[in-house]
Amino acid sequence: MSTSAPPPALRPTDPIDSIDRSDRRRWLQLILGVVLFLAAEVVMGAVSVLASVLAGGDVADGPIPWAFLLGAVIAAAIGVGGFLVIVGPVGRSPGLALRGRGKLAELVVGLIIGAVLISLSVALIALLGGYRITGIAASPQLLAPLAIGIGAGFVEEIFFRGILLRIIDAWMGSWGALVLTSLVFGLIHLTNDGASPASALGLVVEAGILLGAAYLLTRRLWLAIGIHIAWNAVQAGVFSSVVSGTGRQNGLLIADIHGPTWLTGGSMGIEGSLVTVLVGLAAGLVMLVLAMRRGRILGPVGRRARSGVSG
């Protein structure tokens, strides 16, 4: 642990007035955010398939890993660029979402937290008999897991936390925004292969609250982006697990995953396990407590703020 001063967004002495919620045209921001999310997802899929076809790959078996990663990186760039336009020229107030000092530190901390949480979940599942390492892969496929992490980490966080949670936070306050965005996040994942109402509820409790709390704690996206990237990439690239129904990955560890669905997550992968849900929820609750102590949980924006006065 470093003894240096934490970045500005993490200091408990920050005044509530430093949280800029004076942005405008929120309905337009929301509409443009939906368009941006869909466009980034379409571009990611199209680039992955097109690059695979041009390289002579068989897309029936899925995109070539490097092509998938290329699509994810391009989608992430589109997401970041589009978000800056939405909160800048359109919203007239970028707030703390992506700017300010300490961005890299928050991203790195997020990567560490995401890796630790998913590793702890796998360790507990292994102790309960649901995960057993049988070997180490001679040539693990790491590009696809990295693509899954980057694509979801940037595109989903920019929309669900950077657009949706931030705007609803101004309209309804932090608690209402956290509940609604967590529900929407879980419902969206019902479209994934192997998803069920139970797995969607698990993502609401686990990832929706965890990632929403990460945004509220820092009032920026970098911590949440880091957690999301590492959560997906380590789950697939190290532990060879399915990620939200995207298919079994050939990661670093060769493992025998067996047992009841509540323990292993079934077709949704390790993140669908009740163990992982509880680990993610616990981490999210800790972040929410920290956010409350640091004055980051706020009510709806008042009339003065709607007229252009911060916070």
Side-chain angles (χ1 to χ4, degrees):
M1 295 295 288
S2 173
T3 57
S4 60
L10 293 177
R11 290 177 186 163
T13 55
D14 278 357
I16 294 177
D17 288 345
S18 68
I19 301 175
D20 185 357
R21 299 194 297 168
S22 62
D23 57 306
R24 302 178 182 181
R25 301 170 180 166
R26 294 192 181 110
W27 274 111
L28 180 57
Q29 288 187 61
L30 183 57
I31 293 171
L32 292 177
V34 173
V35 173
L36 176 64
F37 174 70
L38 295 176
E41 290 284 343
V42 169
V43 168
M44 180 161 55
V47 169
S48 300
V49 171
L50 180 59
S52 297
V53 170
L54 292 176
D58 185 2
V59 294
D61 298 326
I64 297 174
W66 68 260
F68 187 15
L69 179 58
L70 176 62
V73 170
I74 292 176
I78 290 173
V80 171
F83 179 76
L84 292 175
V85 170
I86 290 173
V87 299
V90 176
R92 302 282 183 87
S93 178
L96 290 174
L98 285 174
R99 67 176 176 85
R101 297 174 57 188
K103 298 186 291 291
L104 180 59
E106 290 177 10
L107 178 62
V108 171
V109 169
L111 292 170
I112 294 172
I113 291 174
V116 168
L117 290 179
I118 200 67
S119 299
L120 175 60
S121 300
V122 173
L124 293 174
I125 293 171
L127 287 175
L128 294 173
Y131 186 96
R132 183 171 65 89
I133 298 174
T134 59
I136 297 178
S139 57
Q141 301 298 313
L142 302 179
L143 294 183
L146 185 58
I148 294 172
I150 291 175
F154 277 93
V155 176
E156 292 186 6
E157 289 313 303
I158 283 172
F159 175 66
F160 286 103
R161 261 58 67 173
I163 298 292
L164 202 59
L165 191 150
R166 179 178 57 85
I167 290 174
I168 298 177
D169 174 73
W171 284 339
M172 298 181 58
S174 300
W175 292 119
L178 181 63
V179 170
L180 283 180
T181 53
S182 296
L183 287 172
V184 174
F185 187 75
L187 289 174
I188 287 291
H189 284 79
L190 274 174
T191 60
N192 292 352
D193 292 339
S196 66
S199 65
L201 179 61
L203 286 174
V204 168
V205 174
E206 166 191 86
I209 293 177
L210 171 63
L211 297 169
Y215 171 81
L216 292 173
L217 174 60
T218 60
R219 289 286 168 169
R220 294 203 294 192
L221 290 171
W222 296 111
L223 183 64
I225 287 173
I227 292 173
H228 204 152
I229 290 175
W231 180 279
N232 285 1
V234 172
Q235 185 179 177
V238 175
F239 299 111
S240 303
S241 171
V242 175
V243 179
S244 295
T246 57
R248 183 70 180 267
Q249 303 296 318
N250 298 315
L252 179 64
L253 299 177
I254 302 172
D256 177 21
I257 305 175
H258 67 279
T261 299
W262 70 264
L263 177 61
T264 65
S267 58
M268 284 295 288
I270 289 170
E271 67 183 10
S273 167
L274 177 61
V275 172
T276 313
V277 169
L278 294 177
V279 169
L281 174 61
L285 292 177
V286 169
M287 289 187 186
L288 285 176
V289 170
L290 292 174
M292 291 176 64
R293 290 181 176 178
R294 297 176 183 185
R296 299 286 177 174
I297 305 297
L298 306 176
V301 173
R303 292 181 179 179
R304 290 180 63 204
R306 292 192 191 104
S307 300
V309 179
S310 176

